[in-house]
mmCIF file with all atom_site columns, all heavy atoms in Angstrom:
data_model
loop_
_atom_site.group_PDB
_atom_site.id
_atom_site.type_symbol
_atom_site.label_atom_id
_atom_site.label_alt_id
_atom_site.label_comp_id
_atom_site.label_asym_id
_atom_site.label_entity_id
_atom_site.label_seq_id
_atom_site.pdbx_PDB_ins_code
_atom_site.Cartn_x
_atom_site.Cartn_y
_atom_site.Cartn_z
_atom_site.occupancy
_atom_site.B_iso_or_equiv
_atom_site.pdbx_formal_charge
_atom_site.auth_seq_id
_atom_site.auth_comp_id
_atom_site.auth_asym_id
_atom_site.auth_atom_id
_atom_site.pdbx_PDB_model_num
ATOM   1   N  N   . ARG A 1 75  ? 4.435  7.000  -8.500 1.00 0.00 ? 585  ARG A N   1
ATOM   2   C  CA  . ARG A 1 75  ? 3.333  7.250  -7.567 1.00 0.00 ? 585  ARG A CA  1
ATOM   3   C  C   . ARG A 1 75  ? 3.805  7.361  -6.117 1.00 0.00 ? 585  ARG A C   1
ATOM   4   O  O   . ARG A 1 75  ? 4.680  6.618  -5.670 1.00 0.00 ? 585  ARG A O   1
ATOM   5   C  CB  . ARG A 1 75  ? 2.310  6.120  -7.718 1.00 0.00 ? 585  ARG A CB  1
ATOM   6   C  CG  . ARG A 1 75  ? 1.172  6.146  -6.716 1.00 0.00 ? 585  ARG A CG  1
ATOM   7   C  CD  . ARG A 1 75  ? 1.523  5.349  -5.453 1.00 0.00 ? 585  ARG A CD  1
ATOM   8   N  NE  . ARG A 1 75  ? 0.344  4.768  -4.832 1.00 0.00 ? 585  ARG A NE  1
ATOM   9   C  CZ  . ARG A 1 75  ? 0.399  3.889  -3.848 1.00 0.00 ? 585  ARG A CZ  1
ATOM   10  N  NH1 . ARG A 1 75  ? 1.553  3.481  -3.385 1.00 0.00 ? 585  ARG A NH1 1
ATOM   11  N  NH2 . ARG A 1 75  ? -0.689 3.404  -3.331 1.00 0.00 ? 585  ARG A NH2 1
ATOM   12  N  N   . ASP A 1 77  ? 1.783  7.869  -2.191 1.00 0.00 ? 587  ASP A N   1
ATOM   13  C  CA  . ASP A 1 77  ? 0.527  8.053  -1.454 1.00 0.00 ? 587  ASP A CA  1
ATOM   14  C  C   . ASP A 1 77  ? 0.753  9.090  -0.364 1.00 0.00 ? 587  ASP A C   1
ATOM   15  O  O   . ASP A 1 77  ? 1.879  9.309  0.082  1.00 0.00 ? 587  ASP A O   1
ATOM   16  C  CB  . ASP A 1 77  ? -0.001 6.725  -0.906 1.00 0.00 ? 587  ASP A CB  1
ATOM   17  C  CG  . ASP A 1 77  ? 1.100  5.827  -0.348 1.00 0.00 ? 587  ASP A CG  1
ATOM   18  O  OD1 . ASP A 1 77  ? 2.240  6.302  -0.189 1.00 0.00 ? 587  ASP A OD1 1
ATOM   19  O  OD2 . ASP A 1 77  ? 0.811  4.652  -0.059 1.00 0.00 ? 587  ASP A OD2 1
ATOM   20  N  N   . ASP A 1 79  ? -1.575 9.828  2.572  1.00 0.00 ? 589  ASP A N   1
ATOM   21  C  CA  . ASP A 1 79  ? -2.373 9.852  3.801  1.00 0.00 ? 589  ASP A CA  1
ATOM   22  C  C   . ASP A 1 79  ? -1.641 9.332  5.036  1.00 0.00 ? 589  ASP A C   1
ATOM   23  O  O   . ASP A 1 79  ? -0.704 8.542  4.947  1.00 0.00 ? 589  ASP A O   1
ATOM   24  C  CB  . ASP A 1 79  ? -3.688 9.089  3.621  1.00 0.00 ? 589  ASP A CB  1
ATOM   25  C  CG  . ASP A 1 79  ? -3.510 7.657  3.123  1.00 0.00 ? 589  ASP A CG  1
ATOM   26  O  OD1 . ASP A 1 79  ? -2.518 7.379  2.415  1.00 0.00 ? 589  ASP A OD1 1
ATOM   27  O  OD2 . ASP A 1 79  ? -4.359 6.804  3.445  1.00 0.00 ? 589  ASP A OD2 1
ATOM   28  N  N   . LEU A 1 81  ? -2.182 7.965  9.363  1.00 0.00 ? 591  LEU A N   1
ATOM   29  C  CA  . LEU A 1 81  ? -2.991 6.958  10.071 1.00 0.00 ? 591  LEU A CA  1
ATOM   30  C  C   . LEU A 1 81  ? -3.539 7.509  11.389 1.00 0.00 ? 591  LEU A C   1
ATOM   31  O  O   . LEU A 1 81  ? -2.952 8.412  11.983 1.00 0.00 ? 591  LEU A O   1
ATOM   32  C  CB  . LEU A 1 81  ? -2.109 5.738  10.379 1.00 0.00 ? 591  LEU A CB  1
ATOM   33  C  CG  . LEU A 1 81  ? -1.802 4.802  9.216  1.00 0.00 ? 591  LEU A CG  1
ATOM   34  C  CD1 . LEU A 1 81  ? -0.622 3.906  9.558  1.00 0.00 ? 591  LEU A CD1 1
ATOM   35  C  CD2 . LEU A 1 81  ? -3.028 3.951  8.867  1.00 0.00 ? 591  LEU A CD2 1
ATOM   36  N  N   . ALA A 1 101 ? 2.468  7.193  10.334 1.00 0.00 ? 611  ALA A N   1
ATOM   37  C  CA  . ALA A 1 101 ? 3.073  5.978  10.871 1.00 0.00 ? 611  ALA A CA  1
ATOM   38  C  C   . ALA A 1 101 ? 3.389  4.957  9.782  1.00 0.00 ? 611  ALA A C   1
ATOM   39  O  O   . ALA A 1 101 ? 4.034  3.947  10.048 1.00 0.00 ? 611  ALA A O   1
ATOM   40  C  CB  . ALA A 1 101 ? 2.144  5.360  11.913 1.00 0.00 ? 611  ALA A CB  1
ATOM   41  N  N   . CYS A 1 102 ? 2.940  5.211  8.544  1.00 0.00 ? 612  CYS A N   1
ATOM   42  C  CA  . CYS A 1 102 ? 3.293  4.297  7.452  1.00 0.00 ? 612  CYS A CA  1
ATOM   43  C  C   . CYS A 1 102 ? 4.378  4.913  6.575  1.00 0.00 ? 612  CYS A C   1
ATOM   44  O  O   . CYS A 1 102 ? 4.849  4.299  5.628  1.00 0.00 ? 612  CYS A O   1
ATOM   45  C  CB  . CYS A 1 102 ? 2.062  3.915  6.627  1.00 0.00 ? 612  CYS A CB  1
ATOM   46  S  SG  . CYS A 1 102 ? 2.273  2.354  5.733  1.00 0.00 ? 612  CYS A SG  1
ATOM   47  N  N   . GLY A 1 103 ? 4.756  6.155  6.861  1.00 0.00 ? 613  GLY A N   1
ATOM   48  C  CA  . GLY A 1 103 ? 5.841  6.791  6.117  1.00 0.00 ? 613  GLY A CA  1
ATOM   49  C  C   . GLY A 1 103 ? 5.425  7.419  4.796  1.00 0.00 ? 613  GLY A C   1
ATOM   50  O  O   . GLY A 1 103 ? 6.280  7.714  3.955  1.00 0.00 ? 613  GLY A O   1
ATOM   51  N  N   . HIS A 1 104 ? 4.129  7.658  4.609  1.00 0.00 ? 614  HIS A N   1
ATOM   52  C  CA  . HIS A 1 104 ? 3.703  8.252  3.336  1.00 0.00 ? 614  HIS A CA  1
ATOM   53  C  C   . HIS A 1 104 ? 4.212  9.692  3.196  1.00 0.00 ? 614  HIS A C   1
ATOM   54  O  O   . HIS A 1 104 ? 4.300  10.209 2.083  1.00 0.00 ? 614  HIS A O   1
ATOM   55  C  CB  . HIS A 1 104 ? 2.176  8.179  3.198  1.00 0.00 ? 614  HIS A CB  1
ATOM   56  C  CG  . HIS A 1 104 ? 1.639  6.764  3.183  1.00 0.00 ? 614  HIS A CG  1
ATOM   57  N  ND1 . HIS A 1 104 ? 0.319  6.461  3.002  1.00 0.00 ? 614  HIS A ND1 1
ATOM   58  C  CD2 . HIS A 1 104 ? 2.266  5.570  3.312  1.00 0.00 ? 614  HIS A CD2 1
ATOM   59  C  CE1 . HIS A 1 104 ? 0.139  5.143  3.036  1.00 0.00 ? 614  HIS A CE1 1
ATOM   60  N  NE2 . HIS A 1 104 ? 1.316  4.578  3.237  1.00 0.00 ? 614  HIS A NE2 1
ATOM   61  N  N   . HIS A 1 107 ? 7.201  9.323  1.256  1.00 0.00 ? 617  HIS A N   1
ATOM   62  C  CA  . HIS A 1 107 ? 6.923  9.027  -0.158 1.00 0.00 ? 617  HIS A CA  1
ATOM   63  C  C   . HIS A 1 107 ? 6.706  10.320 -0.944 1.00 0.00 ? 617  HIS A C   1
ATOM   64  O  O   . HIS A 1 107 ? 7.218  10.490 -2.052 1.00 0.00 ? 617  HIS A O   1
ATOM   65  C  CB  . HIS A 1 107 ? 5.681  8.132  -0.293 1.00 0.00 ? 617  HIS A CB  1
ATOM   66  C  CG  . HIS A 1 107 ? 5.799  6.822  0.435  1.00 0.00 ? 617  HIS A CG  1
ATOM   67  N  ND1 . HIS A 1 107 ? 4.739  5.961  0.614  1.00 0.00 ? 617  HIS A ND1 1
ATOM   68  C  CD2 . HIS A 1 107 ? 6.857  6.228  1.048  1.00 0.00 ? 617  HIS A CD2 1
ATOM   69  C  CE1 . HIS A 1 107 ? 5.136  4.898  1.297  1.00 0.00 ? 617  HIS A CE1 1
ATOM   70  N  NE2 . HIS A 1 107 ? 6.417  5.046  1.582  1.00 0.00 ? 617  HIS A NE2 1
ATOM   71  N  N   . GLU A 1 137 ? -4.468 5.708  0.731  1.00 0.00 ? 647  GLU A N   1
ATOM   72  C  CA  . GLU A 1 137 ? -4.076 4.312  0.491  1.00 0.00 ? 647  GLU A CA  1
ATOM   73  C  C   . GLU A 1 137 ? -4.558 3.418  1.625  1.00 0.00 ? 647  GLU A C   1
ATOM   74  O  O   . GLU A 1 137 ? -4.770 2.221  1.429  1.00 0.00 ? 647  GLU A O   1
ATOM   75  C  CB  . GLU A 1 137 ? -2.547 4.201  0.349  1.00 0.00 ? 647  GLU A CB  1
ATOM   76  C  CG  . GLU A 1 137 ? -2.069 2.842  -0.145 1.00 0.00 ? 647  GLU A CG  1
ATOM   77  C  CD  . GLU A 1 137 ? -2.108 1.761  0.920  1.00 0.00 ? 647  GLU A CD  1
ATOM   78  O  OE1 . GLU A 1 137 ? -1.782 2.045  2.080  1.00 0.00 ? 647  GLU A OE1 1
ATOM   79  O  OE2 . GLU A 1 137 ? -2.497 0.620  0.597  1.00 0.00 ? 647  GLU A OE2 1
ATOM   80  N  N   . GLU A 1 138 ? -4.732 4.016  2.805  1.00 0.00 ? 648  GLU A N   1
ATOM   81  C  CA  . GLU A 1 138 ? -4.953 3.218  4.019  1.00 0.00 ? 648  GLU A CA  1
ATOM   82  C  C   . GLU A 1 138 ? -6.413 2.841  4.260  1.00 0.00 ? 648  GLU A C   1
ATOM   83  O  O   . GLU A 1 138 ? -6.734 2.320  5.318  1.00 0.00 ? 648  GLU A O   1
ATOM   84  C  CB  . GLU A 1 138 ? -4.437 3.989  5.248  1.00 0.00 ? 648  GLU A CB  1
ATOM   85  C  CG  . GLU A 1 138 ? -2.945 4.310  5.231  1.00 0.00 ? 648  GLU A CG  1
ATOM   86  C  CD  . GLU A 1 138 ? -2.070 3.100  5.571  1.00 0.00 ? 648  GLU A CD  1
ATOM   87  O  OE1 . GLU A 1 138 ? -2.609 2.002  5.770  1.00 0.00 ? 648  GLU A OE1 1
ATOM   88  O  OE2 . GLU A 1 138 ? -0.843 3.278  5.624  1.00 0.00 ? 648  GLU A OE2 1
ATOM   89  N  N   . HIS A 1 166 ? 7.828  2.243  -1.441 1.00 0.00 ? 676  HIS A N   1
ATOM   90  C  CA  . HIS A 1 166 ? 7.332  2.270  -0.056 1.00 0.00 ? 676  HIS A CA  1
ATOM   91  C  C   . HIS A 1 166 ? 8.494  2.117  0.919  1.00 0.00 ? 676  HIS A C   1
ATOM   92  O  O   . HIS A 1 166 ? 9.330  1.243  0.749  1.00 0.00 ? 676  HIS A O   1
ATOM   93  C  CB  . HIS A 1 166 ? 6.295  1.173  0.191  1.00 0.00 ? 676  HIS A CB  1
ATOM   94  C  CG  . HIS A 1 166 ? 5.347  1.510  1.307  1.00 0.00 ? 676  HIS A CG  1
ATOM   95  N  ND1 . HIS A 1 166 ? 5.777  1.740  2.592  1.00 0.00 ? 676  HIS A ND1 1
ATOM   96  C  CD2 . HIS A 1 166 ? 4.013  1.693  1.318  1.00 0.00 ? 676  HIS A CD2 1
ATOM   97  C  CE1 . HIS A 1 166 ? 4.731  2.044  3.346  1.00 0.00 ? 676  HIS A CE1 1
ATOM   98  N  NE2 . HIS A 1 166 ? 3.650  2.030  2.600  1.00 0.00 ? 676  HIS A NE2 1
ATOM   99  N  N   . ILE A 1 167 ? 8.490  2.964  1.921  1.00 0.00 ? 677  ILE A N   1
ATOM   100 C  CA  . ILE A 1 167 ? 9.514  2.894  2.957  1.00 0.00 ? 677  ILE A CA  1
ATOM   101 C  C   . ILE A 1 167 ? 9.199  1.685  3.861  1.00 0.00 ? 677  ILE A C   1
ATOM   102 O  O   . ILE A 1 167 ? 8.042  1.380  4.082  1.00 0.00 ? 677  ILE A O   1
ATOM   103 C  CB  . ILE A 1 167 ? 9.486  4.234  3.736  1.00 0.00 ? 677  ILE A CB  1
ATOM   104 C  CG1 . ILE A 1 167 ? 10.850 4.584  4.269  1.00 0.00 ? 677  ILE A CG1 1
ATOM   105 C  CG2 . ILE A 1 167 ? 8.450  4.256  4.825  1.00 0.00 ? 677  ILE A CG2 1
ATOM   106 C  CD1 . ILE A 1 167 ? 11.618 5.448  3.358  1.00 0.00 ? 677  ILE A CD1 1
ATOM   107 N  N   . ALA A 1 334 ? -1.444 -5.549 1.915  1.00 0.00 ? 844  ALA A N   1
ATOM   108 C  CA  . ALA A 1 334 ? -2.002 -5.213 0.604  1.00 0.00 ? 844  ALA A CA  1
ATOM   109 C  C   . ALA A 1 334 ? -1.743 -3.743 0.284  1.00 0.00 ? 844  ALA A C   1
ATOM   110 O  O   . ALA A 1 334 ? -1.428 -2.953 1.160  1.00 0.00 ? 844  ALA A O   1
ATOM   111 C  CB  . ALA A 1 334 ? -3.493 -5.476 0.596  1.00 0.00 ? 844  ALA A CB  1
ATOM   112 N  N   . GLU A 1 335 ? -1.871 -3.390 -0.991 1.00 0.00 ? 845  GLU A N   1
ATOM   113 C  CA  . GLU A 1 335 ? -1.532 -2.060 -1.493 1.00 0.00 ? 845  GLU A CA  1
ATOM   114 C  C   . GLU A 1 335 ? -2.423 -1.757 -2.688 1.00 0.00 ? 845  GLU A C   1
ATOM   115 O  O   . GLU A 1 335 ? -2.575 -2.605 -3.563 1.00 0.00 ? 845  GLU A O   1
ATOM   116 C  CB  . GLU A 1 335 ? -0.085 -2.108 -2.026 1.00 0.00 ? 845  GLU A CB  1
ATOM   117 C  CG  . GLU A 1 335 ? 0.912  -1.243 -1.339 1.00 0.00 ? 845  GLU A CG  1
ATOM   118 C  CD  . GLU A 1 335 ? 0.692  0.245  -1.426 1.00 0.00 ? 845  GLU A CD  1
ATOM   119 O  OE1 . GLU A 1 335 ? 0.009  0.725  -2.342 1.00 0.00 ? 845  GLU A OE1 1
ATOM   120 O  OE2 . GLU A 1 335 ? 1.235  0.942  -0.556 1.00 0.00 ? 845  GLU A OE2 1
ATOM   121 N  N   . PHE A 1 348 ? 6.582  -2.322 -7.851 1.00 0.00 ? 858  PHE A N   1
ATOM   122 C  CA  . PHE A 1 348 ? 6.463  -1.711 -6.533 1.00 0.00 ? 858  PHE A CA  1
ATOM   123 C  C   . PHE A 1 348 ? 7.663  -2.194 -5.743 1.00 0.00 ? 858  PHE A C   1
ATOM   124 O  O   . PHE A 1 348 ? 7.982  -3.389 -5.772 1.00 0.00 ? 858  PHE A O   1
ATOM   125 C  CB  . PHE A 1 348 ? 5.157  -2.154 -5.882 1.00 0.00 ? 858  PHE A CB  1
ATOM   126 C  CG  . PHE A 1 348 ? 4.801  -1.379 -4.647 1.00 0.00 ? 858  PHE A CG  1
ATOM   127 C  CD1 . PHE A 1 348 ? 4.546  -0.026 -4.717 1.00 0.00 ? 858  PHE A CD1 1
ATOM   128 C  CD2 . PHE A 1 348 ? 4.700  -2.010 -3.415 1.00 0.00 ? 858  PHE A CD2 1
ATOM   129 C  CE1 . PHE A 1 348 ? 4.203  0.705  -3.580 1.00 0.00 ? 858  PHE A CE1 1
ATOM   130 C  CE2 . PHE A 1 348 ? 4.360  -1.288 -2.268 1.00 0.00 ? 858  PHE A CE2 1
ATOM   131 C  CZ  . PHE A 1 348 ? 4.112  0.059  -2.357 1.00 0.00 ? 858  PHE A CZ  1
ATOM   132 N  N   . ASN A 1 364 ? 6.382  -0.151 10.279 1.00 0.00 ? 874  ASN A N   1
ATOM   133 C  CA  . ASN A 1 364 ? 5.337  0.736  9.795  1.00 0.00 ? 874  ASN A CA  1
ATOM   134 C  C   . ASN A 1 364 ? 4.051  0.476  10.601 1.00 0.00 ? 874  ASN A C   1
ATOM   135 O  O   . ASN A 1 364 ? 3.783  -0.660 10.985 1.00 0.00 ? 874  ASN A O   1
ATOM   136 C  CB  . ASN A 1 364 ? 5.037  0.459  8.319  1.00 0.00 ? 874  ASN A CB  1
ATOM   137 C  CG  . ASN A 1 364 ? 6.278  0.581  7.437  1.00 0.00 ? 874  ASN A CG  1
ATOM   138 O  OD1 . ASN A 1 364 ? 7.275  -0.073 7.675  1.00 0.00 ? 874  ASN A OD1 1
ATOM   139 N  ND2 . ASN A 1 364 ? 6.213  1.415  6.434  1.00 0.00 ? 874  ASN A ND2 1
ATOM   140 N  N   . HIS A 1 365 ? 3.292  1.515  10.809 1.00 0.00 ? 875  HIS A N   1
ATOM   141 C  CA  . HIS A 1 365 ? 2.018  1.507  11.549 1.00 0.00 ? 875  HIS A CA  1
ATOM   142 C  C   . HIS A 1 365 ? 2.224  1.540  13.065 1.00 0.00 ? 875  HIS A C   1
ATOM   143 O  O   . HIS A 1 365 ? 1.251  1.625  13.808 1.00 0.00 ? 875  HIS A O   1
ATOM   144 C  CB  . HIS A 1 365 ? 1.099  0.325  11.168 1.00 0.00 ? 875  HIS A CB  1
ATOM   145 C  CG  . HIS A 1 365 ? 0.468  0.489  9.821  1.00 0.00 ? 875  HIS A CG  1
ATOM   146 N  ND1 . HIS A 1 365 ? -0.786 0.021  9.509  1.00 0.00 ? 875  HIS A ND1 1
ATOM   147 C  CD2 . HIS A 1 365 ? 0.928  1.087  8.698  1.00 0.00 ? 875  HIS A CD2 1
ATOM   148 C  CE1 . HIS A 1 365 ? -1.061 0.312  8.239  1.00 0.00 ? 875  HIS A CE1 1
ATOM   149 N  NE2 . HIS A 1 365 ? -0.033 0.952  7.721  1.00 0.00 ? 875  HIS A NE2 1
HETATM 150 ZN ZN1 . LIG B 2 .   ? 1.755  2.518  3.354  1.00 0.00 ? 1482 LIG B ZN1 1
#
Side-chain angles (χ1 to χ4, degrees):
R585 174 270 210 170
D587 40 11
D589 54 331
L591 284 163
C612 203
H614 298 183
H617 302 170
E647 190 284 321
E648 299 283 3
H676 206 300
I677 210 93
E845 243 296 338
F858 192 63
N874 304 56
H875 287 213

